[in-house]
Amino acid sequence: MVEAFMQEAVEMAIENVRAGRGGPFAALVVKDGEIVARGTNLVTSSQDPTAHAEVVAIRRACRSLNTFQLDDCDLYTSCEPCPMCLGAIYWARLHRVFYAGTREDAAAAGFDDHFIYDEIALSPADRHITMIPLMRDEAQRAFDAWTNHEGRIEY
Amino acid sequence: MVEAFMQEAVEMAIENVRAGRGGPFAALVVKDGEIVARGTNLVTSSQDPTAHAEVVAIRRACRSLNTFQLDDCDLYTSCEPCPMCLGAIYWARLHRVFYAGTREDAAAAGFDDHFIYDEIALSPADRHITMIPLMRDEAQRAFDAWTNHEGRIEY
């Protein structure tokens, strides 16, 4: 069963390259043994740097299931998720993640996430992208608005 | 100038809470001193766990500028980006990031990214979300398809 889902993810990744839609990556979201959403890398064709296969599949699964939480779903991805996709996986609270290629395989094909892993672990002031703190006190007003908003929906 | 952009981000974050669209977060993408895109947190209202303010603003900026790279743009965000948004910032290659609230301020308001920072730094086998390697050799076919695809657009 798990092998059949992963085989489908890999075939989708290959087809994605042949069709010129983006990088060699695909992902499936599965609930109760059924595929509820499919995604492939659409970065270049949709001009969206966040359109990695996992993010696309998570967005579609949420739309399909009418929820912003996927805690009863598994993700099958043709390659180990990058830090952005890992963040998305945690926010969506997926149950399990199956992956085929590793970050080392991806790096060998020109997709090197290593730099991003390293940068995330640094404090903002030490990163290669300049990050500048500004008006921290003002931001507290937004958090206060949230804390005081009785109708807030937590996520 | 930078203060005016940040003030606008904070006001948008407050309005986002009042309108019931999602969490107390907003972001702007600025190019050559002009705002090219705005985003607020839409996780609950759009049922998309990836719809953080920064991701929404990056997607809209790319659509508006017809590109998947924002290396000549700055991002103003009402709060320090979470790991998912940081990943998106690196993939979009933004020039600079200005942020108001800190991750500690966010945690005090119930938005704790600390767990995700910790998880990303672990190897897949050690994470709280079960991550299972499967059919690594098969995934190599997708990378080979990419390497052999002459029309590939790198990103």
Side-chain angles (χ1 to χ4, degrees):
Chain A
M1 191 73 155
V2 298
E3 286 82 4
F5 290 133
M6 189 59 85
Q7 191 71 50
E8 176 157 347
V10 171
E11 301 302 337
M12 283 170 56
I14 293 169
E15 174 56 25
N16 197 58
V17 171
R18 293 196 178 138
R21 281 191 293 266
F25 304 102
L28 304 174
V29 175
V30 172
K31 180 181 175 178
D32 301 333
E34 302 280 341
I35 297 171
V36 294
R38 294 170 169 82
T40 62
N41 180 293
L42 301 174
V43 168
T44 53
S45 61
S46 69
Q47 300 206 314
D48 177 355
T50 75
H52 285 200
E54 297 92 327
V55 167
V56 173
I58 287 170
R59 279 183 206 150
R60 289 177 179 170
C62 287
R63 206 176 308 145
S64 170
L65 298 172
N66 208 29
T67 180
F68 54 86
Q69 301 276 272
L70 299 172
D71 45 287
D72 47 4
C73 296
D74 291 332
L75 183 79
Y76 290 76
T77 174
S78 64
C79 185
E80 185 182 343
C82 82
M84 175 182 73
C85 293
L86 271 176
I89 286 163
Y90 280 93
W91 287 119
R93 298 181 173 76
L94 280 146
H95 179 50
R96 294 182 300 182
V97 175
F98 296 86
Y99 64 97
T102 66
R103 68 180 85 177
E104 291 79 13
D105 299 336
F111 300 95
D112 196 352
D113 306 344
H114 194 68
F115 175 66
I116 301 180
Y117 279 103
D118 288 347
E119 289 281 301
I120 286 178
L122 297 174
S123 66
D126 295 329
R127 295 192 180 122
H128 280 81
I129 292 186
T130 305
M131 299 193 69
I132 303 167
L134 188 71
M135 297 168 64
R136 179 179 176 183
D137 289 349
E138 200 61 15
Q140 191 55 48
R141 291 175 50 229
F143 290 120
D144 291 345
W146 175 258
T147 306
N148 297 328
H149 184 65
E150 295 199 358
R152 68 182 179 274
I153 301 172
E154 300 194 358
Y155 59 91
Chain B
M1 191 73 154
V2 297
E3 285 83 3
F5 290 133
M6 190 59 85
Q7 191 71 49
E8 177 157 347
V10 171
E11 301 302 336
M12 283 170 56
I14 293 169
E15 175 56 25
N16 197 58
V17 172
R18 291 195 179 139
R21 282 192 293 266
F25 304 102
L28 304 174
V29 175
V30 172
K31 180 181 175 177
D32 301 333
E34 302 280 341
I35 297 171
V36 294
R38 294 170 169 83
T40 62
N41 180 291
L42 302 174
V43 168
T44 53
S45 60
S46 70
Q47 299 206 315
D48 177 355
T50 75
H52 285 199
E54 298 92 327
V55 167
V56 173
I58 287 170
R59 279 186 206 148
R60 289 178 179 169
C62 287
R63 205 177 307 144
S64 170
L65 299 172
N66 209 27
T67 179
F68 54 85
Q69 301 277 273
L70 299 172
D71 46 285
D72 48 4
C73 296
D74 291 333
L75 182 78
Y76 290 76
T77 174
S78 65
C79 186
E80 186 182 342
C82 82
M84 175 182 73
C85 293
L86 271 176
I89 286 164
Y90 280 93
W91 287 119
R93 297 181 174 77
L94 281 146
H95 179 51
R96 295 181 300 181
V97 175
F98 296 87
Y99 64 96
T102 66
R103 68 180 84 176
E104 291 80 13
D105 298 335
F111 300 94
D112 196 353
D113 305 345
H114 194 68
F115 175 66
I116 301 180
Y117 279 102
D118 288 347
E119 289 281 299
I120 286 178
L122 297 173
S123 66
D126 295 330
R127 295 191 181 124
H128 280 80
I129 291 186
T130 305
M131 299 193 70
I132 302 168
L134 188 71
M135 298 168 64
R136 178 179 177 183
D137 290 349
E138 199 62 14
Q140 192 55 49
R141 291 175 51 229
F143 289 120
D144 291 344
W146 175 258
T147 307
N148 297 328
H149 184 65
E150 294 200 359
R152 68 182 180 272
I153 302 172
E154 302 193 358
Y155 59 91

